Structure formats: structure tokens, C-alpha cells
Amino acid sequence: MQKVKVRSGIELVIVENEAEFAKAAADKVSELLKQKPNAILGLPTGSTPETMYAELVSRYKAGLLDFSQVTTFNLDEYVGLSDTHPQSYHSFMKKHLFDGVNIPSEARHLPSGETKPAEESAAAYEALLTKLGPIDLMILGIGTNGHIGFNEPGTPFDSRVHITSLAPSTIQANSRFFSDESEVPREAVTTGIGNILEARQIMLLAKGESKAEAIAATLQGEVTIEVPASALQQHNSVYVVVDKAAASLLKLE
Ligand code: F6R
């Protein structure tokens, strides 16, 4: 594992393998919960955090972690999927984290994909975040196009919780979870970049060659709304965990 200071406010950890990836990410959460047992966590779904969640569950089962005072806010949810749909982010979280640890059910928050009109779901989530926030540690994955949450290229950095249309590349990437691309919802409720930047600390996770360009543009490129994750350069406490493939286009001394 290699630690590199990319720029002020951004610490980068490059790991050798999947086990190190899961450990580095879970260590960050564990450290926070030791200092602040009632921390508020911002959580992503997707393939990237799966092993981190598995590691957190195993630490909980081993008696090393306690989530009884933790509150969580997920980043996003597809519009039009019921909470119980197998590909909903509600179902993902239940399977990968909530069923395995002791976060009280009333302290787990995700935007609703069922509320109609969807804008009401966004407004309700924004109100809840404002009431209970700020988030202590916002954990993020990243899209190949640089999206964070479902803030696709072109999203203003001061955006709040909103309904967004998924970019064609996101629909294509996420079609691997559905039997056909036509079944991937076209819209999502997402936490905005403005909400993300309000978190006290941010942890960005990426692995694989397909994320290398996005990671280089995020950490060493121009700060531009065309690369939503480049907004993180404006934050003062960002911890980035990447594997070697995702780090391969970074210019490191
Ligand atoms: C998911 C989310 C997305 C994903 C991103 C990467 O809640 O907010 O931004 O983090 O699309 O997804 P994976 O990890 O599947 O490559």
C-alpha cells in the first residue's frame, strides 16, 4: 500500500489487491466510528464498495465495530423502482450492509424511488439531510464519465438533491445488473454536488482500468462541471482509495 499526497486536502492511497482495498476503506470508517460512535455516513452502491461493506459486516460480527448509534444517508436511488425491487438501491443496501450490521432501521435513509411526483422525493430528502446533517464521512464511487452520485457531467457544483436523467454511458454501465438495457431506469433521485461538498470528510473509491481516466481528471485535471468529481478538489478533506489500475494515469513523482 502506497500513500501519496496529491494536493492540499487530498490524500491518496494506492492498494495492491482487493483485500487491501476493502481494508483501507473499512479502516477509514472504523477510525471515524471509534472517534464518533454516532457518526453520519453517506453511502454509495455499485460494485466498488461491495468488499468494503463485506469487511465492515465481518468486523461487526467479530465484535470490533458497533453501528448502534450510526445514521446513514445513501447517495441515490432509481426513480420508478419499488424499494423491494431486486435492483433498487434499497435492496442493495439491505443485502450488502443493513442485514449484516446493527444500524437501527429508522436511522437508515435512502431517497424514495417510488414517490410521485419524483420531485417530492428529492425535496423530502433534502429536508431530511438539512435537518440531520452534515454528513461526517461521505463515501463515493465514481462513474467512468466522472459522475459522483448520479451527478452526470454538466451538473452545477452547487446542486442540491434533485431528479436527474442518467447519461447513456451510465445506463449502459448499469445494464449489467438488469436482464436488458431497456429495463434500466432512465432517471434517479440523487444527492447534489453541493450536498456532497458539505460533508466533513469525503472518501472516494475507485478500482479498475475503466476508472483510470476519470481518476486522473478528478485529481489532476481542470476543475470543471464536465468532470463532476473534480469538484472534490474544492474540498479540504478527501481520502482516495484506488487500486493500481485506477491509479495508472496519475502523474506521481
Ligand atoms: C451509486 C453511485 C454511483 C456509483 C458509480 C460507480 O450509488 O452513486 O456514482 O458509485 O456509478 O459504480 P460502480 O462502483 O458499480 O463502478
Side-chain angles (χ1 to χ4, degrees):
M1 186 166 108
Q2 189 193 353
K3 276 199 179 186
V4 188
K5 187 141 191 196
V6 182
R7 55 169 69 234
S8 148
I10 301 187
E11 196 182 349
L12 173 74
V13 170
I14 304 173
V15 300
E16 295 289 328
N17 53 43
E18 188 63 59
E20 268 192 25
F21 188 88
K23 182 177 180 309
D27 280 352
K28 185 77 179 164
V29 177
S30 299
E31 277 162 30
L32 173 65
L33 296 188
K34 268 178 202 128
Q35 286 161 17
K36 189 171 183 184
N38 62 346
I40 304 181
L41 303 176
L43 301 176
T45 59
S47 304
T48 311
E50 280 185 18
T51 54
M52 171 191 74
Y53 289 136
E55 177 67 21
L56 291 173
V57 169
S58 86
R59 289 183 193 191
Y60 166 72
K61 293 204 161 133
L64 301 170
L65 271 182
D66 172 34
F67 291 84
S68 63
Q69 299 177 62
V70 167
T71 296
T72 63
F73 277 94
N74 266 82
L75 277 163
D76 39 26
E77 178 58 285
Y78 290 118
V79 167
L81 294 193
S82 67
D83 294 358
T84 53
H85 187 286
Q87 297 311 331
S88 76
Y89 289 167
H90 282 74
S91 297
F92 176 100
M93 291 310 299
K94 202 169 148 12
K95 176 172 168 201
H96 292 283
L97 185 69
F98 296 156
D99 280 351
V101 300
N102 63 337
I103 303 168
S105 53
E106 64 281 8
R108 312 165 186 172
H109 306 293
L110 287 100
S112 162
E114 297 178 1
T115 304
K116 285 186 187 146
E119 286 71 20
E120 276 180 21
S121 165
Y125 206 59
E126 177 72 43
L128 200 60
L129 264 171
T130 306
K131 185 171 162 213
L132 302 179
I135 286 172
D136 292 294
L137 177 64
M138 173 68 86
I139 308 173
L140 302 171
I142 186 169
T144 51
N145 64 359
H147 75 210
I148 45 176
F150 276 133
N151 294 285
E152 302 286 19
T155 309
F157 286 175
D158 62 357
S159 55
R160 312 302 302 179
V161 184
H162 62 284
I163 306 303
T164 182
S165 297
L166 303 188
S169 64
T170 304
I171 293 170
Q172 207 243 323
N174 290 9
S175 65
R176 68 191 193 278
F177 299 114
F178 294 82
S179 46
D180 190 87
E181 195 173 306
S182 63
E183 287 175 19
V184 183
R186 270 31 189 178
E187 289 185 326
V189 196
T190 185
T191 305
I193 299 176
N195 305 98
I196 291 171
L197 293 176
E198 280 166 15
R200 291 197 166 99
Q201 289 184 77
I202 293 174
M203 176 163 69
L204 174 67
L205 306 175
K207 56 190 172 193
E209 209 186 320
S210 66
K211 303 292 173 71
E213 249 176 65
I215 284 294
T218 295
L219 302 181
Q220 295 182 321
E222 184 196 341
V223 176
T224 162
I225 60 170
E226 294 316 317
V227 181
S230 68
L232 302 182
Q233 290 185 31
Q234 298 178 346
H235 196 276
N236 62 12
S237 182
V238 182
Y239 188 68
V240 186
V241 182
V242 289
D243 65 5
K244 285 190 160 167
S248 59
L249 296 177
L250 286 169
K251 293 186 189 71
L252 302 172
E253 274 143 40

